[in-house]
Amino acid sequence: GAVVSQHPSWVICKSGTSVKIECRSLDFQATTMFWYRQFPKQSLMLMATSNEGSKATYEQGVEKDKFLINHASLTLSTLTVTSAHPEDSSFYICSARGLKGLAGDEQYFGPGTRLTVT
Amino acid sequence: TQLLEQSPQFLSIQEGENLTVYCNSSSVFSSLQWYRQEPGEGPVLLVTVVTGGEVKKLKRLTFQFGDARKDSSLHITAAQPGDTGLYLCAGALYYNTDKLIFGTGTRLQVFP
């Protein structure tokens, strides 16, 4: 159980275009989804937290107009990188958290999306 | 300022050796998770610890949560090449459990 998928797994786009990445929880309802980015050989940096049906909460330094997040249902969240530039090239990973259990904080991660902006 | 510092940053060992990875903070966490990530993939959850002093074992991996819930360790016995990967600790802050704070990561390479 607790499977999270991402689509696409990799994408190459030209500078100035927009790219949408989907994150789906396949076998559970995700009350909260998280978006991270990871640069080579580095750890994960949280970009934003989204709860179904409400606006995303962005971390300090993350431009909300550039990284549009939509969490329209309990199984789907999307991240749109608008007007992408080469510096946006990164590995984007989503995670999903369902109803809180004893541990309460476990997140299940998607396989990631490699974005390359040329 | 990085809330969760992992050490060592890199570790390269021979098959059969033992190793310990540390995850330290000055903050208190309500729970702490350990993940392993392979290149081009998302992190995979290994364990969650929630009680101060808790020890959990997963085959050759032993995880410990510090008594004060500020630190954790991962010990691998008789490492194998399949253990190679990026190990990440991540904690939910005691006063804000909504999000995880990830550690700086430890890259482990086990040679046959």
Side-chain angles (χ1 to χ4, degrees):
Chain A
V3 178
V4 177
S5 70
Q6 278 185 244
H7 178 80
S9 55
W10 59 270
V11 57
I12 301 173
C13 71
K14 291 187 176 180
S15 188
T17 61
S18 295
V19 173
K20 180 184 284 188
I21 302 170
E22 291 186 350
C23 176
R24 293 181 185 272
S25 57
L26 300 185
D27 52 0
F28 69 103
Q29 292 186 323
T31 52
T32 307
M33 286 186 169
F34 304 84
W35 286 96
Y36 297 83
R37 66 187 298 182
Q38 184 178 32
F39 291 106
K41 301 188 187 302
Q42 294 187 23
S43 187
L44 277 67
M45 296 298 294
L46 179 65
M47 298 175 66
T49 302
S50 75
N51 294 293
E52 184 263 339
S54 60
K55 289 184 177 181
T57 301
Y58 290 80
E59 294 299 300
Q60 193 172 14
V62 178
E63 299 176 59
K64 61 181 180 181
D65 294 330
K66 182 170 185 60
F67 298 99
L68 300 178
I69 292 172
N70 184 278
H71 192 165
S73 77
L74 284 171
T75 59
L76 173 65
S77 177
T78 60
L79 167 68
T80 301
V81 183
T82 62
S83 187
H85 287 96
E87 57 265 30
D88 298 324
S89 298
S90 189
F91 193 51
Y92 291 87
I93 308 175
C94 73
S95 71
R97 184 176 68 198
L99 295 176
K100 291 197 171 187
L102 177 63
D105 310 309
E106 291 181 5
Q107 296 180 22
Y108 297 92
F109 285 81
T113 297
R114 170 79 54 200
L115 170 63
T116 301
V117 185
T118 60
Chain B
T1 303
Q2 187 60 252
L3 280 178
L4 269 174
E5 293 284 347
Q6 285 184 237
S7 61
Q9 192 176 359
F10 301 100
L11 195 53
S12 182
I13 62 173
Q14 291 292 128
E15 182 176 5
E17 292 184 28
N18 301 330
L19 66 114
T20 302
V21 177
Y22 298 94
C23 176
N24 293 301
S25 176
S26 58
S27 300
V28 177
F29 294 93
S30 65
S31 68
L32 195 137
Q33 286 91 52
W34 283 92
Y35 294 84
R36 183 170 72 212
Q37 184 183 23
E38 304 203 18
E41 298 180 12
V44 174
L45 179 67
L46 297 175
V47 78
T48 300
V49 285
V50 295
T51 306
E54 182 177 3
V55 177
K56 279 192 174 179
K57 289 195 172 186
L58 183 66
K59 296 183 180 178
R60 294 176 293 101
L61 278 60
T62 302
F63 305 85
Q64 184 162 9
F65 201 11
D67 291 341
R69 293 156 67 152
K70 294 181 178 181
D71 53 81
S72 181
S73 64
L74 157 60
H75 182 79
I76 301 179
T77 304
Q80 298 177 1
D83 296 327
T84 294
L86 176 66
Y87 287 82
L88 296 161
C89 64
L93 286 168
Y94 193 79
Y95 56 85
N96 181 3
T97 60
D98 283 346
K99 59 185 182 182
L100 285 178
I101 306 298
F102 272 84
T104 48
T106 295
R107 193 163 295 278
L108 172 65
Q109 176 84 52
V110 182
F111 291 98

